Each structure stands twice: as structure tokens, then as C-alpha cells.
Amino acid sequence: MSSGIKVNPECFTVFDELKKGRKFKFVIFKISDDFKEVVVDNTSQDNLKDAEGKDIPQKEDSFEEFILRLPKNSGRFAVFDYTKEPAIYNKLLFYVWAPDNAPIKSKMLYASTKSTLRAELSGISADIQATDGDELTQEAILEKLKTYKYY
């Protein structure tokens, strides 16, 4: 079932920059405040600001930074460029973040919009649905990748 929410073309541009140009380590998407489209929320290149508008220093580990940027009470879509150390391979992972404490409407919108975005993102190696922090660990990624033939 589709929600009728469209995907802003900028999402595809930023995804291509991550996939082909390796410009970003991750990109996070959200449903716009007016519920009409999926838009880019932020990327690994964006600096976050504190309440006073000052830049918050980024974590050295891009995965830690990625986890830090997922909101505690709201859903998100994301693509993370995962590298297994030592750099044996890179895999693009598609995340649907729907925290348990997010409003029901938000979870339903993200669930029903996932296929609209995901269908347009080629080259994704694995889909990961996460509802809490335990599903957002390096170990969880490795377990998920083991279910795919290329691991």
C-alpha cells in the first residue's frame, strides 16, 4: 500500500553522489512537514547545530555520527555506505528507522512510503528495519549481511 507521498528529485541526486561519487558516507531522508514528499534531511557532510546555532563537532566514526543523527521520536529513511574492515567491500545499506516511541501515524507513513523511495534506489545491498538502538549496531549489520549471499 502506497501513501501517495512523492519523492523530491533532490533525494535521487544526493543518493547518486553517495553511490557514484562517494561524496557522502550517509544520507538521511525524511517525510516533509506537510506530508507531501520525501526530502533530504541531512548528510554526512552537513554540520549539526546546537541550540545557539554553533556547529556540533562530528564524531570520527561515521557510523556513530549516523546513529547520532537519527531522531529518538520520529521515523527516517537512510542510506549508509558500509565498509567492512579491513576494507574488503563496500555495501550500501537502506535503513527504515521507525522508533518504538514514534507516533503511530509517523510509523504508518514511513511504512507505506518505503517502497516509493526504495524502488528508485538501485545498488542497495541490504534493507534494515530498525525500531530501537539494539538494531543499530555493527553486530546487527553483520548479522543482517550474513543472510545475503555475498557475505
Side-chain angles (χ1 to χ4, degrees):
M1 180 171 99
S2 175
S3 64
I5 294 174
K6 307 291 183 208
V7 180
N8 184 297
E10 180 191 16
C11 296
F12 305 124
T13 302
V14 172
F15 173 73
D16 281 343
E17 290 173 346
L18 179 147
K19 179 181 167 185
K20 296 176 184 168
R22 303 286 187 211
K23 181 176 178 180
F24 309 111
K25 192 65 180 165
F26 61 83
V27 59
I28 299 174
F29 307 99
K30 70 175 187 174
I31 295 174
S32 63
D33 294 339
D34 63 4
F35 305 108
K36 291 186 178 180
E37 61 183 351
V38 176
V39 296
V40 174
D41 186 26
N42 64 78
T43 72
S44 58
Q45 296 269 319
D46 298 333
N47 288 324
L48 297 180
K49 308 277 184 196
D50 64 15
E52 297 172 359
K54 296 179 184 173
D55 285 346
I56 298 172
Q58 289 194 14
K59 304 275 186 196
E60 284 192 32
D61 182 289
S62 59
F63 191 73
E64 284 182 37
E65 183 69 24
F66 168 66
I67 301 305
L68 176 73
R69 293 182 184 218
L70 294 173
K72 305 292 183 238
N73 300 316
S74 181
R76 292 292 187 271
F77 301 114
V79 176
F80 186 84
D81 184 4
Y82 180 74
T83 304
K84 185 171 189 282
E85 298 297 332
I88 297 170
Y89 60 75
N90 286 70
K91 298 295 177 195
L92 295 179
L93 307 177
F94 180 78
Y95 280 87
V96 178
W97 171 241
D100 287 331
N101 56 346
I104 297 293
K105 180 179 179 180
S106 172
K107 290 193 261 190
M108 289 175 55
L109 281 173
Y110 277 88
S112 61
T113 305
K114 173 192 172 193
S115 62
T116 303
L117 175 61
R118 178 64 181 86
E120 299 294 326
L121 304 179
S122 64
I124 299 291
S125 298
D127 290 23
I128 299 174
Q129 173 82 34
T131 59
D132 64 41
D134 292 342
E135 297 168 314
L136 294 172
T137 64
Q138 297 277 357
E139 294 78 22
I141 291 173
L142 292 175
E143 284 302 312
K144 183 67 172 182
L145 291 175
K146 285 179 184 178
T147 65
Y148 290 85
K149 64 182 176 187
Y150 52 75
Y151 181 77

